[in-house]
Amino acid sequence: MEITSGPFFTTSTGLIDSIDKKLMVVLRDGRKLIGTLRSFDQFANLVLQDTIERIYVGNCYGDIPRGIFLIRGENVVLLGEIDLDKEEQMNLRQVPVEEILVAQREEMEAKQRIENRRNQILHEQGFCVESFQNDLYFITN
């Protein structure tokens, strides 16, 4: 087996076999993008064509067309090729974008209420609760 291809080569050149294939990319902020890989560079920055942002809530999903999408490599959490045959066999129901956005907002609000209640209980028990939403570094004195 040649070392520059296959599962053992983990640099950005391992993406050569994925050019012109339909991929799903999961970003650090949780967004899921589906598009055709057209280009990449040594930093694993990606160019996707005919990109859609897919939002999942329960057993439903909605697609938001995004067009050509440039993704900075450091924001990629997961990248994988989509099996076109299996994609058709999913047990998910596609809904209009407006409907999925409302469902997503409701799901996020419910999670936030649970998190706030959890933090309140921990605070009442004497724990210091600090919730940071970003990947930020804080300097403490």
Side-chain angles (χ1 to χ4, degrees):
M1 174 180 266
E2 188 178 327
I3 194 153
T4 59
S5 67
F8 303 111
F9 198 66
T10 58
T11 64
S12 65
T13 54
L15 293 170
I16 290 174
D17 295 336
S18 297
I19 290 286
D20 295 331
K21 293 188 179 168
K22 190 173 183 181
L23 303 178
M24 175 181 272
V25 180
V26 179
L27 302 179
R28 282 184 3 180
D29 64 3
R31 287 185 292 170
K32 293 151 190 82
L33 302 173
I34 298 174
T36 305
L37 181 65
R38 292 297 179 205
S39 183
F40 66 93
D41 65 9
Q42 71 270 23
F43 303 108
N45 297 321
L46 309 173
V47 177
L48 297 180
Q49 183 180 16
D50 301 324
T51 307
I52 58 168
E53 180 179 347
R54 183 163 284 177
I55 300 171
Y56 295 95
V57 177
N59 65 344
C60 299
Y61 71 93
D63 292 338
I64 303 171
R66 297 294 187 195
I68 294 180
F69 214 89
L70 176 63
I71 303 169
R72 190 175 170 125
E74 68 182 14
N75 291 318
V76 175
V77 173
L78 182 74
L79 175 130
E81 185 178 345
I82 292 182
D83 187 335
L84 299 175
D85 296 329
K86 290 185 179 179
E87 184 181 28
E88 299 297 324
Q89 300 170 0
M90 292 188 315
N91 291 330
L92 297 174
R93 182 174 54 96
Q94 185 170 6
V95 298
V97 174
E98 298 79 18
E99 188 177 324
I100 201 71
L101 289 173
V102 168
Q104 181 187 40
R105 184 173 49 251
E106 289 171 353
E107 182 181 61
M108 289 172 52
E109 288 170 355
K111 285 181 181 179
Q112 187 62 45
R113 282 192 301 273
I114 291 169
E115 180 70 16
N116 289 343
R117 180 66 183 137
R118 184 186 71 82
N119 289 343
Q120 180 184 5
I121 291 169
L122 288 172
H123 183 70
E124 289 169 358
Q125 294 177 356
F127 290 96
C128 179
V129 180
E130 295 179 10
S131 61
F132 299 109
Q133 300 295 326
N134 307 353
D135 291 337
L136 300 175
Y137 295 98
F138 293 93
I139 298 174
T140 57
N141 295 331

